[in-house]
Amino acid sequence: MGLAIMCSGGDAPGMNPAIKKFVDYVYKSHQIPYFIYDGLEGLIDGNIKQAQHHDVAGILHNGGAIIGSSRSKRFYDYKYRKIAFENLNKYGITGLVVLGGDGSYNALERLNSEFGIDCIGIPSTIDNDIYGTEYCLGVDTALNVIRSAVDNIRDTASTFKRAFVVEVMGRECGYLAAVTALSSGAEICVIPEMCFNKDIAGYTLKKEVKAGRRYILAIAAEGCNRTQEIKEWLEKDIGMETRITVLGHIQRGGNPTVKDRMMAFEFVVRGIDLLRSKQKVHHAIGYQKGEFIAMDIHEVNDGKYTIPSEITRDLHFLD
Ligand code: F6P
């Protein structure tokens, strides 16, 4: 039986450890592992090769993904999905593991429902926005990259009596911003899921500045598109010189943390065990309350992730 692995969408630290575990565990299970290079685009173009142990030697500590990734417009067209299926057939691949986010899960659902390919989704996105799992690969590394940047910014902010608005990634989801604001003790957090109460924030911060507050840290989720507006408000209303730092793609790179490596191993083992179970498999592996679970991929695609209230309840000025 041939089993393939592919990355799709934005890369996430933890993909390489997952790829390594995939090759080692599939061989250990007496099956043949295949790589699909460059995501769905590579699948359509037949960019497929049998993986060898030496391909995955020395990759555990690297961010990114040695097999590449892509976002594919062609895959929306049935004609190309059929070509993708035929390419899998050519190599005798009956099961597919995809490391990716919600867009990738939609592609998997299509391959499964249209062509009966067994598939496993492993949540891999720094956005942490996939329904049915508390954790996606890459999140811990991204949060630590952001933490380090915000710690540095605080040094200069406090020295110079400045406010900073730090914009973090997350697409439509405010998870990275919310956890960063909590763990960095930021005064302000602006996320798409909640309403930032400017009046109360303004009243409180002005009082604090008068009483000697030297700096303000604001964390803004990119999905709000309010970074510039918050900067202007801090300058005009609160009266503090303000700078913006947009962290951008540095958040997606870097050596995966120990947590991301260990989670990668476990996600992959659970996925392969399911694929070997000889049932019809169209599942996403998730992590909930300390347990790994398998959910129907259709259900995951239909659901909407929400940030746990234990995270949002302690953020300031959010309704
Ligand atoms: O989904 C991961 C992510 O990094 C988002 O946080 C961000 O909005 C998007 O991808 C950026 O995409 P690109 O790398 O195509 O600019």
Side-chain angles (χ1 to χ4, degrees):
M1 183 160 107
L3 299 180
I5 191 163
M6 171 177 101
C7 301
S8 177
D11 49 289
M15 283 180 164
N16 277 332
I19 292 165
K20 178 167 170 52
K21 177 57 92 180
F22 173 82
V23 174
D24 294 346
Y25 196 64
V26 170
Y27 272 126
K28 201 170 156 199
S29 321
H30 310 291
Q31 288 154 87
I32 305 178
Y34 287 89
F35 285 156
I36 297 167
Y37 288 94
D38 298 331
L40 292 167
E41 285 291 292
L43 178 55
I44 293 167
D45 293 334
N47 202 352
I48 300 172
K49 166 196 127 163
Q50 184 176 334
Q52 307 294 343
H53 283 297
H54 65 76
D55 293 323
V56 293
I59 67 165
L60 266 186
H61 62 297
N62 290 330
I66 58 156
I67 58 176
S69 186
S70 65
R71 295 194 174 98
S72 174
K73 287 213 170 83
R74 288 191 292 169
F75 203 80
Y76 290 110
D77 184 337
Y78 178 81
K79 176 174 84 184
Y80 290 108
R81 294 203 292 277
K82 188 151 179 293
I83 294 173
F85 166 66
E86 285 160 359
N87 285 335
L88 291 171
N89 251 348
K90 225 185 275 173
Y91 290 87
I93 295 167
T94 55
L96 180 59
V97 173
V98 173
L99 310 176
D102 46 4
S104 325
Y105 281 17
N106 275 312
L108 267 188
E109 189 175 333
R110 296 281 184 101
L111 274 177
N112 176 262
S113 60
E114 292 171 353
F115 306 104
I117 291 287
D118 284 338
C119 60
I120 287 289
I122 292 185
S124 313
T125 166
I126 64 162
D127 301 346
N128 210 41
D129 60 350
I130 300 182
Y131 177 73
T133 186
E134 291 163 10
Y135 193 77
C136 299
L137 274 190
V139 170
D140 190 57
T141 309
L143 283 172
N144 277 294
V145 168
I146 301 169
R147 188 228 4 103
S148 160
V150 173
D151 286 351
N152 291 358
I153 286 168
R154 180 196 302 277
D155 290 344
T156 177
S158 59
T159 308
F160 243 76
K161 282 194 177 179
R162 271 181 182 163
F164 271 82
V165 186
V166 182
E167 184 183 289
V168 301
M169 277 187 166
R171 215 182 276 273
E172 307 298 311
C173 178
Y175 181 87
L176 289 178
V179 174
T180 297
L182 256 195
S183 56
S184 301
E187 287 66 42
I188 294 170
C189 176
V190 186
I191 54 176
E193 293 85 348
M194 295 179 84
C195 180
F196 171 55
N197 193 327
K198 248 185 185 175
D199 291 342
I200 298 186
Y203 172 79
T204 311
L205 289 170
K206 268 192 267 188
K207 237 177 38 185
E208 289 181 7
V209 169
K210 221 168 163 193
R213 166 178 284 289
R214 289 182 63 82
Y215 67 95
I216 296 169
L217 284 179
I219 310 296
E222 64 172 351
C224 293
N225 279 322
R226 293 183 67 185
T227 305
Q228 183 63 29
E229 173 209 323
I230 300 295
K231 175 202 188 268
E232 285 166 18
W233 170 73
L234 282 164
E235 286 191 320
K236 291 197 188 108
D237 278 44
I238 313 296
M240 201 177 264
E241 187 184 10
T242 306
R243 295 282 189 271
I244 289 175
T245 302
V246 178
L247 293 182
H249 286 78
I250 66 159
Q251 296 161 93
R252 261 198 359 220
N255 300 3
T257 56
V258 171
K259 175 166 177 171
D260 273 323
R261 298 179 200 195
M262 300 300 282
M263 291 299 282
F265 300 155
E266 210 48 42
F267 274 131
V268 166
V269 166
R270 304 290 170 139
I272 295 172
D273 283 348
L274 248 187
L275 283 174
R276 291 169 58 219
S277 67
K278 301 203 168 43
Q279 320 160 13
K280 287 271 146 227
V281 181
H282 37 79
H283 290 85
I285 309 295
Y287 185 74
Q288 282 181 18
K289 299 188 174 61
E291 307 258 337
F292 289 87
I293 51 147
M295 274 176 81
D296 193 305
I297 204 145
H298 305 267
E299 194 188 334
V300 174
N301 282 338
D302 288 346
K304 182 159 169 40
Y305 174 81
T306 49
I307 305 176
S309 56
E310 306 88 85
I311 294 173
T312 49
R313 77 171 173 222
D314 294 329
L315 293 168
H316 311 297
F317 316 128
L318 291 182
D319 299 326

